[in-house]
Amino acid sequence: MDFNWIEEYCLSKNGTAKDYKEEWDAVRFQIGDKMYAMLGEMKGEPIFTLKLPPEYGETLRRIYSGIIIPGYYMNKVHWNSLLLNKIDAVTEQLVMEMIDSSYDTVLKSLPKKKQKEIEEM
């Protein structure tokens, strides 16, 4: 299955940088040196992990049980993993909304000056 659209959508966000974390065998998407999303693997299966507001992530995990799970090897309150081999069970629009929420969550955690720089890119 092709997940290039996820990478393209993340990279379309202002100030997003992509790198590869060899120790994790994962591609990370960051703004202001803070990660907001990651494409990796869990036990050989592709996953997409995002930082979401706790209540939003909890709601998604409840609605999409077994598809959206607590973040693999991450803080289970703030991070959520989408099992990409089951992505057909969610809409592309929902994945985009999750990316938007993750990006906005991390952006808001940056200093105001940095936020402004990124927003003006």
Side-chain angles (χ1 to χ4, degrees):
M1 186 174 287
D2 180 16
F3 305 115
N4 287 335
W5 70 269
I6 291 174
E7 183 173 320
E8 289 170 11
Y9 189 72
C10 288
L11 291 173
S12 74
K13 305 292 225 175
N14 281 359
T16 294
K18 174 183 113 172
D19 73 358
Y20 177 73
K21 178 93 169 159
E22 189 171 345
E23 303 84 42
W24 299 353
D25 190 23
V27 174
R28 302 182 304 172
F29 302 95
Q30 303 173 59
I31 48 172
D33 294 326
K34 288 191 174 190
M35 184 173 72
Y36 71 90
M38 177 180 68
L39 283 167
E41 290 188 355
M42 177 182 75
K43 300 175 185 172
E45 297 295 327
I47 60 171
F48 185 46
T49 302
L50 302 114
K51 186 171 190 173
L52 299 172
E55 54 285 342
Y56 181 46
E58 186 177 317
T59 298
L60 290 174
R61 290 193 303 266
R62 193 171 48 253
I63 294 169
Y64 299 100
S65 178
I67 300 163
I68 299 174
I69 61 172
Y72 182 66
Y73 268 93
M74 305 295 266
N75 179 306
K76 308 297 187 220
V77 174
H78 298 280
W79 292 88
N80 297 271
S81 293
L82 169 62
L83 305 179
L84 292 175
N85 61 352
K86 298 181 180 182
I87 197 170
D88 293 338
V90 299
T91 65
E92 188 172 302
Q93 183 63 35
L94 176 64
V95 177
M96 288 178 172
E97 287 171 11
M98 291 171 65
I99 294 168
D100 293 345
S101 179
S102 183
Y103 176 88
D104 291 342
T105 297
V106 173
L107 180 64
K108 289 176 187 170
S109 75
L110 298 175
K112 297 284 186 211
K113 182 179 179 184
K114 188 69 173 172
Q115 288 180 40
K116 187 172 182 176
E117 288 173 10
I118 291 170
E119 289 167 354
E120 292 175 351
M121 292 181 145

